[in-house]
Amino acid sequence: MINVRAAPARAAAFVKWRRLFGRADNPLVHGIARLPAKVRTKLLVSFLGIAVLLLLIALLGLRVLGQSNSRSESLKALEERAAGYQNLYTESTTFRDLLAYCAGGADVGKFLNGGRPAPGSTRDCLRSIDRTVGTALAGLGTATRLGFEPAADEAAIFGQIKGDYRALNGLVARITASSRPSLALHARAEVFADDLKIAAATLANRTQNKTDALVAQNRRAYSGSRNLFLGVGIGAIGLALLLGFVLSWSLIGPIQRIGGRLAAIASGDFSGHVDVPNRDELGDLGKNVNRMNDELRRLYRELEATSRHKSEFLANMSHELRTPLNAIIGFSQVLREKMFGEINQKQQEYLDDILSSGNHLLSLINDVLDLSKVEAGQVELEVATFSLREALERGIVMVRERATQNGVQLALESDPNVDLVEGDERRIRQVIFNLLSNAVKFTPAGGRVDVRYQQLNGELRIFVADTGPGIAPEDHERIFDEFHQTDEGAQQHEGTGLGLALSKRLVELHGGHIWVDSELGKGSTFVFTMPMGSA
C-alpha cells in the first residue's frame, strides 16, 4: 500500500538535499561567499584544511602500523615462551616415561629397553639406563633455563617446576647411589615427575591460549583498523571534495554572473544588475560592475539624445542649405547657357567653377542628410522589383565620363541566372554609384574597374574590383566609419568620408552586409550582399 502522506515529505527532503549539493542557491556556497575574508585567505584556509585531513590520515596510519607492530612483537614473545614451555613439557614427559619404564610391566620395559627384558629392580633399571637418565635430566635442566622471564601469572608455576626439578635431581642421585634403594624414593620421584609434567603442560597450554587469543585479537584489530582507515580516508576525501566544491562555486558562480552581466553590457543591455553576495574581491568587483553599468546607461542615454539632436540638426541644416544652393546652381546654369546675354571666357570659367563646387557641395549635403536620416531611423525603404543588371549599367554610365578622362576601363560581367531582385532601387543605385565613383577615383590611368554579381551560399553578392593602390589591413574596418578616409583619399582632396558609411547603412537596411578585400599595391574589391529572401 502506497503511503500518500509520505510522498510530500520525501519530495521536500529530496529538494533540500538537491539544494545542498546543487550549484544554484546553495546555502553552503552562499555561506562561504559571505565570509568577510579575501579570496587568497579562503584558498589558503581550504588548502590548510585539506593538508590537515591528509595529516590526520597519515597519523592514523602510523597509529595503526604502531599497534600492528606492537601486537607482532607480543606475538613473537608469546611464540618464544610457548616454544620454551613446550620444550619443558617434552623433557618432563620424557623423564616421566623413563620412571614409568623402570616401574612398569614387562611389555613397557621390553619396548623401552630395545626389545630386551627390563631389569628386575628400580635401582638396576636406573643403573642400566644411567646414561639415558642423565641425558634426560640434563635436558630437563636445560629446559628449566628458559632464556626469558616468565610472565607474572606464570612465575609461581615456573618456580614449582624448578623446585620439582631440583627434588627429582636429588632423588635420582640417591636412588642410583644407594645399594638398596627403597620403593618410597621411587614413588616420590614419580610424584615430582608427575607434578613437573602437569605444571609444564599448564604453562604450555596457557601460553598457547594466550597466543591464540592474541592472534584472534590481531585479526579483529586488523579488520577494525582497516575499516577505520577506509572510513576516515573516504570521509576525508568526501570533506575535501565538499570543501573544494563549495569554495570553487563560491568563486565560479560570481565570476559567471559577472561575465554574463558584462556580456549583456557589451550587447547594449544596461537594464540589470549583477547580484554577488561575496564579501571579498569578487563582491567588490560586482559592485564596480553595477556602478559601471549605471554610468554606461546614463552615458548611453546622453549619447542617444546627443546623436538624435545631431541627426535632427543635420537634417534641418542640410535642408536649409540645399534650398539656396539649388538656386545658386540653377542661376549659374542659366548664366552659362547665355540665356541673358553673352559672357566672356573668364566668366565662363568662373561659372564652371561655381557649378562644379555647387554640385560637389550639394552631393556632400545630400550624403549628410541621408546619413542623418538613416541614423535617426527616418529612412523607409521603398521595396519593389527592379533589374539589378540595369541598375549596374546606369551606375557605370554615371561614372563613365570621369573614367574615360582618367584612362580607366569599365567592365560589367552579368549573371544570366539573376536579373530581377527586390529592394529599394534608388538606395541600391546610390550604393553602386558610391562604390564605382571611389573605384574610378582611386584607379590610376591604364587601370581597370570590373563589376560582377552572382548568387552564392543563399545570398546575392555584388563585386566592384579595381586595380588601384589598395587599402592597408588596419583600414579595412575604419573606412566604413563616418568622416574616415585613407591616406590616398585625403591626398585626393575630394569627398568627406561619408559615402562608404552611408553605403554600409543602406546595405544593412536591406539585411545585407558590406566589406572589402584588399592588399596594398594589389587593388581592392568591395563586396556587398543582399539576402535571397529580398531578391
Side-chain angles (χ1 to χ4, degrees), residues 189-510:
E190 287 187 352
V191 170
F192 283 116
D194 287 337
D195 290 344
L196 191 149
K197 179 180 178 181
I198 293 172
T202 301
L203 287 178
N205 292 334
R206 183 177 296 181
T207 306
Q208 186 62 43
N209 292 335
K210 289 181 179 180
T211 302
D212 295 339
L214 185 59
V215 169
Q217 180 187 0
N218 194 23
R219 186 178 295 110
R220 290 192 301 271
Y222 167 77
S223 178
S225 299
R226 179 194 61 193
N227 296 335
L228 177 62
F229 193 79
L230 290 176
V232 172
I234 293 173
I237 293 173
L239 288 176
L241 291 176
L242 180 61
L243 180 61
F245 166 80
V246 172
L247 182 63
S248 63
W249 275 107
S250 70
L251 303 178
I252 295 173
I255 291 174
Q256 289 181 339
R257 289 193 292 272
I258 291 173
R261 182 87 286 271
L262 289 175
I265 291 174
S267 64
D269 178 14
F270 307 103
S271 60
H273 276 174
V274 60
D275 181 20
V276 179
N278 294 48
R279 299 172 65 184
D280 50 25
E281 294 90 338
L282 293 176
D284 296 337
L285 179 61
K287 294 176 182 178
N288 291 332
V289 169
N290 289 333
R291 282 196 292 268
M292 180 187 69
N293 178 84
D294 296 339
E295 183 65 16
L296 287 176
R297 177 170 54 191
R298 183 185 66 81
L299 294 175
Y300 188 75
R301 288 175 178 173
E302 292 181 359
L303 287 175
E304 283 185 331
T306 302
S307 178
R308 185 173 63 255
H309 295 157
K310 179 205 71 172
S311 299
E312 293 175 354
F313 171 77
L314 290 176
N316 293 332
M317 287 300 298
S318 298
H319 184 270
E320 295 297 328
L321 290 173
R322 194 161 52 174
T323 299
L325 188 58
N326 285 330
I328 293 173
I329 294 174
F331 286 125
S332 298
Q333 289 176 340
V334 169
L335 291 175
R336 193 180 65 171
E337 294 297 329
K338 303 177 182 181
M339 296 179 65
F340 296 100
E342 295 293 329
I343 57 177
N344 57 37
Q345 182 67 29
K346 200 65 175 179
Q347 291 173 333
Q348 179 75 28
E349 292 178 1
Y350 287 160
L351 287 174
D352 289 340
D353 291 339
I354 292 172
L355 283 174
S356 176
S357 299
N359 286 324
H360 177 68
L361 184 57
L362 181 60
S363 175
L364 174 60
I365 291 173
N366 287 334
D367 286 344
V368 171
L369 180 61
D370 289 339
L371 186 60
S372 62
K373 285 183 177 180
V374 171
E375 291 180 345
Q378 299 176 356
V379 173
E380 294 184 2
L381 298 179
E382 297 179 1
V383 179
T385 302
F386 67 94
S387 172
L388 179 61
R389 181 178 56 81
E390 291 181 2
L392 293 173
E393 288 176 349
R394 289 182 183 179
I396 291 175
V397 169
M398 293 175 66
V399 299
R400 177 167 292 158
E401 182 178 356
R402 181 168 182 175
T404 302
Q405 292 175 355
N406 295 345
V408 177
Q409 296 183 2
L410 294 173
L412 172 63
E413 180 182 345
S414 301
D415 187 347
N417 298 322
V418 179
D419 186 12
L420 298 180
V421 297
E422 290 185 357
D424 190 325
E425 181 179 3
R426 185 171 71 86
R427 299 299 183 183
I428 295 299
R429 286 174 57 186
Q430 189 175 0
V431 174
I432 294 171
F433 174 75
N434 286 336
L435 296 181
L436 284 173
S437 61
N438 284 341
V440 171
K441 179 170 61 176
F442 293 110
T443 301
R448 182 181 179 88
V449 175
D450 293 313
V451 182
R452 61 186 178 89
Y453 59 93
Q454 64 179 9
Q455 181 178 335
L456 185 64
N457 296 331
E459 61 184 5
L460 184 64
R461 294 189 179 185
I462 297 92
F463 303 83
V464 178
D466 62 62
T467 58
I471 301 172
E474 61 269 17
D475 289 329
H476 285 186
E477 295 292 335
R478 292 186 291 176
I479 58 175
F480 294 101
D481 297 335
E482 294 88 344
F483 305 105
H484 182 88
Q485 290 180 298
T486 62
D487 294 338
E488 291 288 337
Q491 293 173 5
Q492 292 280 348
H493 300 291
E494 295 185 30
T496 58
L498 291 176
L500 289 178
L502 179 60
S503 299
K504 182 175 183 291
R505 302 297 194 283
L506 295 177
V507 169
E508 290 174 348
L509 283 177
H510 281 81

